Amino acid sequence: MNMRPIQRRHRPLAMGLLVGLLLCIMQPAMAGSETHRRQLNEGYSLLYADVAGLRRTDLLLLVKLETDSVQQTVRRIADEMADMHDRLETWAAADTALRLDLQPLPRVEREKQAAAAADRLQSFAPWVGRTGPGFERTLLLTLSGALNQLRHLTRVLAEVEAEFGLSNASQRGAAMTAASGRLDALYDAVLTLLEHDYYVHGTGQSHGR
Amino acid sequence: MAVRRLRSLVGGLLSALLFAGCAIAPQGMPAERPTEDLNAGYSLLYDAVSGLQHGDRAFYVKFESDPAQRVVSRVADYAAALTADLERVEREFPAVDIRQQPLPLLERRKRQALRNSNLKRLAPVVGETGPAFERTLLLSTSGALNQLRFHAQVMAQLETDPALQSILRDAEQQFAALYVDVVELLNAQYFRHDTFEAEPSQ
């Protein structure tokens, strides 16, 4: 078969067809990458909102806490939350594709969380709310719940970063893995404190995993 | 004067702390029924209660205390009744959908990881036993009930259909009553300091 080279006047058309074909091939991959980025951004936005809410927990030390061990644990948690908060903001400043301001939860879920937080706030309020061991135990239980959520969220973020393999994945994935380890340790510390000082029966087990 | 200023400052700081990143609660009932929001809410409610309905049987062999077993059974019984109610509602109200997956991927995976971790702690043979097991189960149950009572409350505020609103109001009351029972038992038998008070909420 006699193959003739494409004539000069047909070259733009051929180039256009080639580019179109390439775009058709790449579109699903690009759409998949956008979906992955959105899913990760939803996860980082949830993490950022939680961390922002918890990073000033140590303000409670100004008015209510009485026990040294609780004060130390609350300060450690507040410090960790402040570090994570700053790190997330640094990442978002360096990478414009990273979003921390999404609200991916359904409306009912968001409003439920706000109502539950308002109720807990009332029980923590100075002068009118709980005091003494009842307040400290409620605070530790609340923090243990929050840390339990966060350690799993950071672990899932590390897994998903590795699965999706977007830019900056290895740096952020490694940071999330390290964060989940520190959150495991804080979670263990809170449960140990609860068992030692606030529960009748201990378990003598590690709880973090 | 100084005390008032400090009180105001601390109140403001606490509000900022606990409300950071949260939406503001709705002020009144909307004019139109927000079907999409409600169906997401019904689906989450159905998922939660259908998961609670077998709690008593799943851990039957591990209970050592009758009061703990009784209260967990009551929670499971109500969860089973509400599960059946929601399935009936879906059949009778075409606008209601209880089978959606409204949560984002990362949140779904996080919740699954949490469930697996909790099950590991409570599992027969290898998990916690005796009073420690009962305390962990009661704490998990109280957390779920606390979330569910506010979930039902928020949905009742959004729902405009009187029949559905009535179901949600009743659910809110049932969850709140069960929550108080679980917290009262925790205080009486599992916490070192019994600080239970019926009001304000625990």
Side-chain angles (χ1 to χ4, degrees), chain A residues 53 109 119 137 149 198 201, chain B residues 17 110-111 135 193 195:
Chain A
E109 186 69 15
D119 183 70
R137 187 189 62 226
Q149 301 270 334
Y198 300 91
H201 318 276
Chain B
L17 166 70
K110 180 196 83 177
R111 290 184 186 201
R135 185 190 62 222
H193 314 275
T195 58

Side-chain angles (χ1 to χ4, degrees), chain A residues 39 42 53 60 107 109 111-112 114 119 121 126 130 137 148-149 152 159 163 196 198-201 203, chain B residues 14 17-18 23 26 37 104 109-111 114 131-132 135 139 147 158 187 190-193 195 201-202:
Chain A
Q39 289 169 337
E42 289 171 348
L60 292 167
R107 176 182 177 182
E109 186 69 15
E111 292 180 359
K112 174 195 82 178
D119 183 70
L121 170 70
R130 294 166 170 277
R137 187 189 62 226
N148 200 21
Q149 301 270 334
H152 286 293
E159 289 168 8
E163 287 167 22
H196 191 261
Y198 300 91
Y199 294 161
V200 176
H201 318 276
T203 63
Chain B
L14 283 170
L17 166 70
L18 285 168
D37 292 330
R109 283 181 62 163
K110 180 196 83 177
R111 290 184 186 201
L114 269 165
R135 185 190 62 222
L139 283 170
Q147 295 289 313
L158 287 176
N187 271 275
Y190 300 89
F191 291 163
R192 192 167 290 182
H193 314 275
T195 58
S201 62
Q202 295 287 297

Side-chain angles (χ1 to χ4, degrees), chain A residues 39-40 42-44 46 49-50 52-57 59-60 62-63 103-128 130-131 133-134 137 141 148-153 156-157 159-160 163-164 187 191 195-203 205 207-209, chain B residues 3 6-7 10-11 13-26 28 30 34 37-38 40-41 44 102-107 109-111 113-114 117-118 120-121 126-129 131-133 135-136 139 146-151 153-155 157-158 179 183 187 189-196 200-202:
Chain A
Q39 289 169 337
L40 270 171
E42 289 171 348
Y44 281 114
L46 290 171
D50 288 348
L54 286 168
R55 75 192 157 121
R56 297 210 173 100
T57 308
L59 291 176
L60 292 167
L62 295 174
V63 282
Q103 286 201 338
L105 296 180
R107 176 182 177 182
V108 170
E109 186 69 15
R110 292 199 308 273
E111 292 180 359
K112 174 195 82 178
Q113 290 179 2
D119 183 70
R120 190 46 49 93
L121 170 70
Q122 198 180 354
S123 80
F124 286 165
W127 290 279
V128 293
R130 294 166 170 277
T131 54
R137 187 189 62 226
L141 284 169
N148 200 21
Q149 301 270 334
L150 283 173
R151 70 197 183 104
H152 286 293
L153 179 57
V156 167
L157 274 163
E159 289 168 8
V160 172
E163 287 167 22
F164 292 173
Y187 178 67
L191 289 198
E195 280 184 7
H196 191 261
D197 293 343
Y198 300 91
Y199 294 161
V200 176
H201 318 276
T203 63
Q205 294 180 358
H207 314 279
R209 311 308 161 252
Chain B
V3 171
L6 177 64
R7 193 173 175 169
V10 170
L13 289 172
L14 283 170
S15 300
L17 166 70
L18 285 168
F19 277 106
C22 294
I24 304 299
D37 292 330
L38 282 166
L44 290 171
L103 295 176
L105 173 79
L106 271 284
E107 183 67 16
R109 283 181 62 163
K110 180 196 83 177
R111 290 184 186 201
L114 269 165
S117 170
N118 282 343
K120 201 169 146 187
R121 282 185 71 182
V126 291
E128 291 173 351
T129 55
F133 155 78
R135 185 190 62 222
T136 300
L139 283 170
N146 192 36
Q147 295 289 313
L148 283 166
R149 68 189 173 126
F150 288 112
H151 192 105
Q153 182 187 81
V154 166
M155 288 196 63
Q157 286 166 355
L158 287 176
Y179 173 70
V183 172
N187 271 275
Q189 295 194 8
Y190 300 89
F191 291 163
R192 192 167 290 182
H193 314 275
D194 185 348
T195 58
F196 176 77
S201 62
Q202 295 287 297

